[in-house]
Each structure stands twice: as structure tokens, then as C-alpha cells.
Amino acid sequence: MRIKEMEHTQRPREKALRDGIGTLSDAELAALILSSGNKQRTVDQIAHDLVRQSKGFSRLTDMTLEELMQIDGIREAKGLQIVAALELSKRAMKARSYMFSIESPADVAVWFEMEYGVLKQEHFVCVYLDTKGKIITHKTLFKGSLNASLVHPREIFKEAFLQNAHAILLVHNHP
């Protein structure tokens, strides 16, 4: 069924305006971002395929533009809309992570996942904090192989001195 054929109150845009964006189903949210279908497929059909192909959005952040374009009805423009929406969300989450103080290892883990995501190579990252525990900056000082990374203390402390850091957090991943 085309959006225009839906009852006015059940259309994703109207439902979001009336009840809030959080009330939309995954497919309705995808349809709202995609905004339109094409001659062969409705936006609702494309949105349902997107949800299914991304396994309920769990793989969406890992999907490339080319993978998105393999979904019938998604070409370059719609694929870029999806990629842009994901990038906007990622940047908003990163910006928000700098507003809070790091008070526990869990805070570091959440920040690291937001900032670096799932990496396929070992990264050794230094996070430099001010006196209130807020992040001044962070640097990937060393990139290793699949399972190793060489670290030298001189580089860690040099950067801490240059940043006038009060504290240093050393973080690395295990790909």
C-alpha cells in the first residue's frame, strides 16, 4: 500500500508528529528517512527490506553504500540518505560524549565504542582528561597488527605534557 493510500493518521510522518518519533516501528522510521518509493516499489516495501537485510538494524552501521544499493529500490541517492543519517547520529553521539566526565571504567568503554566503533586492527589510544574528568582530546598513538600493538611510554607522556592533561587513560581494543 502506498503512503498516500494509508489512512492519514497511520502515515509515519503524521504518527511521528502526533505521538513522537519513538513510537514508530523500525520500518516506519526507515520509511520516514527514505521518504519515497519508486514506480516499482512503495517506500513501505523498501523500508521493510532494509530492516530485514540489516537484521533489524543490528548490521546497519556495518553496511556499505554498495550493500545498501543491493536492496531493491535503494539506489545511490537513497543509500546516501541512510549513510548520512547514520553519520549524523554518530557525530551527535560523539559530541555528546565529550560533555560528560569519565568517572568509571564503564564510562570509558561507552566512549571508546562511540568514538572508535568496531575496529579490525589493534589500536592503542590515549585519552587525556582535565581536572574534572572531561576529555581534552584523544590520540591513537599506535596501530598494531591483528593481535599486537607496540607501545612506548615516551609518546604517551609527551602528548600528556603537550595537552596539559591532569589524567591519562590508556585504552586498546582486541579485534
Side-chain angles (χ1 to χ4, degrees), residues 20 25 54 66 123:
S25 70
S54 66
E66 291 73 26
H123 282 64

Side-chain angles (χ1 to χ4, degrees), residues 49-84:
D49 282 354
L50 175 62
V51 173
R52 188 171 22 82
Q53 291 291 334
S54 66
K55 303 207 182 312
F57 294 148
S58 67
R59 283 192 356 91
L60 190 59
T61 57
D62 298 326
M63 293 178 77
T64 64
L65 179 59
E66 291 73 26
E67 288 175 306
L68 290 168
M69 289 172 54
Q70 289 176 3
I71 297 170
D72 191 21
I74 296 180
R75 298 178 88 182
E76 194 173 76
K78 288 200 182 302
L80 283 172
Q81 282 176 243
I82 296 165
V83 171

Side-chain angles (χ1 to χ4, degrees), residues 8 14 32 39 51 58 64-65 100 108 133 136 141 146 148-149:
H8 193 274
E14 285 74 12
L32 193 59
K39 290 180 182 179
V51 173
S58 67
T64 64
L65 179 59
F100 301 103
V108 178
I136 299 169
L141 292 184
L146 180 64
S149 181

